[in-house]
């Protein structure tokens, strides 16, 4: 394969991040060019500008919840999600050779990693200060620098090999079942085909602030039997008290109940930004509530048509 046709993927780098591990699960990635970026906004901007064809970024963690920077960057609606990836995350404490656990006074890591190892650090290094880095691998790289101001990093175990650090403690996560969800974002393309186990992401902006505005949004999903898998309010940046809703729901835009819910939102919201329909990483098939299948929607539409034709 020549460079001219190589797919280019941006990701939250440097090499050794969980995001890179997530990206490496994408089919045919071995033929792609990987572009490590210093931040989530930089990775997504590489796609907007055409420098990359897609970017893999973290969006949600089972312990810490949504990744605000990713939610806010995707909320502009200029990119779409075409794939999601789930990765179990496990952290190690790593330091330069010669450093012992009791020497670790200044630790560095990504904010989400700090949150997921908070109790372990409090129990084992109660006097340590945790300084935040742009990613776990960036933290490991900073510790590896000669004369580094940090004693240790909390990062994926694989980063220790890459940055020639020693693992002082492994599996230090407070929750052994922690999973991070990553998404592949591309410039707008038609959604991947319906699989029957899909998700749809969108951002809804309230038209005018009034009692029940959120309830109206929720109603559009509820009456059509569409299950939400995540809803978060995020500030729009336009002033105190002004929020939009970042939403993931079950189903694909090709399915009548999801398409109709989107049309309903379009009528009741100030703005709706569609962020894509894509296969669920867990493959969990969606059970349809009675009366909300495509057949039910088609049947109702032809019944209405027959009424209009005078065929009661
Ligand atoms: O720093 C990394 O290694 C990342 O890939 C980022 C990130 C995140 O943003 O949540 C990914 C997974 C872990 O939950 C911790 C950090």
């Amino acid at each position: 394969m020549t460079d001219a046709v190589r797919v280019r993927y941006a990701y939250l780098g440097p090499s050794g991040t969980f995001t890179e591990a997530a990206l490496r699960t994408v089919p045919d990635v071995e033929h792609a060019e990987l572009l490590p970026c210093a931040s989530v906004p930089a990775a997504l901007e590489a796609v907007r500008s055409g420098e990359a064809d897609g970017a893999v970024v973290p969006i949600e963690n089972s312990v810490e919840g949504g990744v605000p920077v990713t939610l806010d960057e995707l909320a502009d609606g200029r990119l779409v999600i075409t794939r999601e990836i789930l990765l179990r995350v496990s952290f190690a404490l790593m330091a330069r050779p010669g450093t012992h656990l009791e020497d670790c006074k200044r630790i560095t890591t990504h904010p989400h990693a700090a949150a997921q190892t908070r109790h372990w650090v409090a129990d084992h290094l109660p006097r340590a200060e945790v300084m935040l880095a742009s990613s776990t691998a960036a933290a490991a790289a900073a510790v590896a620098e000669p004369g580094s101001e940090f004693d240790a990093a909390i990062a994926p175990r694989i980063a220790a090999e890459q940055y020639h650090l020693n693992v002082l403690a492994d599996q230090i996560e407070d929750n052994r079942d922690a999973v991070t969800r990553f998404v592949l974002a591309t410039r707008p393309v038609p959604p991947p085909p319906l699989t029957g186990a899909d998700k749809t992401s969108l951002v809804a902006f309230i038209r005018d602030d009034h009692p029940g505005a959120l309830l109206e949004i929720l109603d559009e999903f509820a009456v059509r039997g569409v299950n939400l898998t995540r809803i978060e309010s995020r500030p729009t940046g336009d002033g105190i008290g002004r929020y939009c809703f970042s939403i993931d729901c079950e189903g694909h835009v090709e399915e009548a109940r999801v398409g109709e819910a989107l049309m309903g939102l379009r009528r009741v919201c100030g703005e709706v930004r569609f962020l894509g329909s894509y296969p669920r990483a867990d493959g969990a098939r969606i059970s349809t509530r009675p009366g909300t299948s495509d057949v039910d929607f088609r049947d109702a539409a032809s019944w209405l048509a027959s009424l209009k034709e005078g065929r009661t």
Side-chain angles (χ1 to χ4, degrees):
M1 207 180 262
T2 65
D3 269 4
V5 293
R6 274 179 101 190
V7 179
R8 294 153 307 163
Y9 291 121
Y11 70 97
L12 172 65
S15 180
T17 57
F18 288 111
T19 311
E20 183 187 0
L23 169 55
R24 290 200 180 274
T25 68
V26 170
D28 294 329
V29 69
E30 60 278 12
H31 304 301
E33 189 181 338
L34 306 194
L35 310 172
C37 296
S39 65
V40 167
L44 295 173
E45 189 50 35
V47 184
R48 292 190 199 103
S49 70
E51 194 194 325
D53 302 299
V56 171
V57 289
I59 194 165
E60 182 183 359
N61 175 266
S62 60
V63 177
E64 267 303 284
V67 179
V69 67
T70 303
L71 298 176
D72 294 348
E73 283 288 319
L74 290 177
D76 72 6
R78 289 168 62 200
L79 300 176
V80 289
I81 299 170
T82 56
R83 171 183 291 272
E84 71 169 6
I85 301 147
L86 295 176
L87 198 74
R88 216 185 75 72
V89 285
S90 178
F91 301 92
L93 181 78
M94 53 196 72
R96 289 178 300 280
T99 307
H100 301 283
L101 190 59
E102 56 277 16
D103 304 327
C104 297
K105 307 228 161 27
R106 286 167 71 84
I107 300 173
T108 178
T109 192
H110 183 276
H112 264 217
Q116 291 175 74
T117 53
R118 194 184 293 133
H119 294 120
W120 187 91
V121 172
D123 290 347
H124 296 85
L125 297 165
R127 271 183 285 280
E129 200 182 347
V130 179
M131 329 281 283
L132 301 181
S134 56
S135 73
T136 54
V143 171
E145 293 268 314
S148 172
E149 54 174 315
F150 305 112
D151 303 312
I154 295 172
R157 196 189 164 95
I158 191 174
E161 286 156 43
Q162 275 175 275
Y163 297 98
H164 310 292
L165 300 174
N166 282 351
V167 172
L168 300 181
D170 201 6
Q171 298 188 327
I172 64 168
E173 58 276 8
D174 298 329
N175 184 331
R176 287 285 153 93
D177 300 321
V179 171
T180 299
R181 177 176 164 237
F182 299 83
V183 291
L184 172 62
T186 70
R187 290 182 292 283
V189 285
L194 173 74
T195 67
D198 305 281
K199 256 187 204 174
T200 292
S201 298
L202 59 105
V203 185
F205 293 79
I206 283 171
R207 181 177 291 145
D208 57 310
D209 189 17
H210 60 276
L214 173 57
L215 200 56
E216 283 172 14
I217 291 178
L218 296 177
D219 256 349
E220 297 298 333
F221 294 100
V223 296
R224 295 173 179 98
V226 178
N227 193 30
L228 302 189
T229 56
R230 185 185 59 82
I231 177 164
E232 279 175 73
S233 53
R234 293 294 309 153
T236 60
D238 299 338
I240 285 287
R242 297 186 71 88
Y243 286 86
C244 59
F245 296 98
S246 171
I247 297 172
D248 295 333
C249 68
E250 288 182 346
H252 193 286
V253 65
E254 291 287 352
E255 289 173 289
R257 64 185 191 291
V258 177
E260 297 254 350
L262 282 169
M263 288 197 289
L265 291 175
R266 167 95 182 168
R267 283 186 285 101
V268 303
C269 292
E271 190 179 347
V272 182
R273 295 183 188 157
F274 175 68
L275 299 187
S277 290
Y278 47 88
R280 289 176 69 127
D282 61 8
R285 297 197 72 81
I286 295 150
S287 63
T288 313
R289 309 264 321 144
T292 65
S293 72
D294 281 8
V295 173
D296 294 318
F297 274 93
R298 264 198 309 274
D299 175 66
S302 57
W303 174 73
L304 182 66
S306 71
L307 297 186
K308 291 177 189 169
E309 288 165 8
R311 292 187 284 119
T312 56

